Amino acid sequence: EEEGSFEDVLRRCNQMRMPPHFRPLVYQVLLLVVAALCLCVWLVPLRLYPRLVNTACLVRAARNVGANVLMGVLLARELVLDDGFVRLNGTSIAAKLREARDEISVGVDAMRLGGYIASEQLHVSIGADDIGLEAYMTLMYQEGCPWRGNTSCVPPYW
């Protein structure tokens, strides 16, 4: 009986001397905090999911347009200088330039109006024209816009 009580006293003394980061209660509380954070990170974007997906599609469409602009510049340079830098003949350069121009047109229309970009296999659901002219003018041309350090002109859903 004395050995059992001595072991209990020894166990309690060891637990009291144990640093806090070794105690099981600390790990249980931290596990609950991590689970709550994971739940919040999972639930909050559900409300914003369509807009988050649309933002990714807009960024990808803009990247595609930028790449096609660079391709157009390279091919136009080759057509003008004809120095063999791209190692293509004139008709294939003209065809690729036409293709890049068409991709730029499709990408810009998708960013403005929404739509499908076949080469990227993505669908832009909300185009820039959907935010309305007043919101656009407020965002782009009024004093106090985000790039000036004041976010008062940001539309409420951005």
Side-chain angles (χ1 to χ4, degrees):
E1 186 177 85
E2 288 182 17
E3 290 180 16
S5 65
F6 176 74
E7 288 178 358
D8 291 339
V9 170
L10 186 62
R11 186 177 298 117
R12 277 186 267 141
C13 286
N14 282 338
Q15 282 182 346
M16 289 173 56
R17 290 183 185 162
M18 201 182 297
H21 55 274
F22 285 129
R23 296 184 185 168
L25 182 63
V26 172
Y27 286 106
Q28 291 169 352
V29 169
L30 286 177
L31 183 64
L32 285 175
V33 168
V34 168
L37 283 175
C38 289
L39 189 64
C40 289
V41 166
W42 179 64
L43 287 178
V44 170
L46 284 180
R47 181 175 57 88
L48 304 172
Y49 185 73
R51 292 189 186 118
L52 289 175
V53 169
N54 192 55
T55 302
C57 291
L58 282 172
V59 168
R60 197 165 164 194
R63 186 186 66 214
N64 187 25
V65 167
N68 282 314
V69 166
L70 291 176
M71 179 63 76
V73 168
L74 174 72
L75 294 174
R77 174 212 170 271
E78 180 61 29
L79 277 178
V80 170
L81 295 179
D82 195 22
D83 60 355
F85 184 68
V86 224
R87 303 190 187 281
L88 296 173
N89 60 14
T91 56
S92 59
I93 290 174
K96 287 193 177 291
L97 189 58
R98 191 175 309 110
E99 184 180 315
R101 185 197 62 209
D102 293 341
E103 287 291 324
I104 291 170
S105 169
V106 167
V108 168
D109 286 345
M111 287 188 293
R112 279 192 59 231
L113 308 170
Y116 183 72
I117 302 175
S119 65
E120 288 285 316
Q121 296 180 352
L122 76 127
H123 181 75
V124 178
S125 58
I126 303 169
D129 287 356
D130 290 340
I131 65 171
L133 186 59
E134 293 93 23
Y136 176 80
M137 296 301 273
T138 301
L139 180 67
M140 297 305 286
Y141 297 110
Q142 186 179 3
E143 289 294 323
C145 285
W147 52 86
R148 295 187 182 116
N150 183 358
T151 59
S152 63
C153 68
V154 176
Y157 53 84
W158 279 20

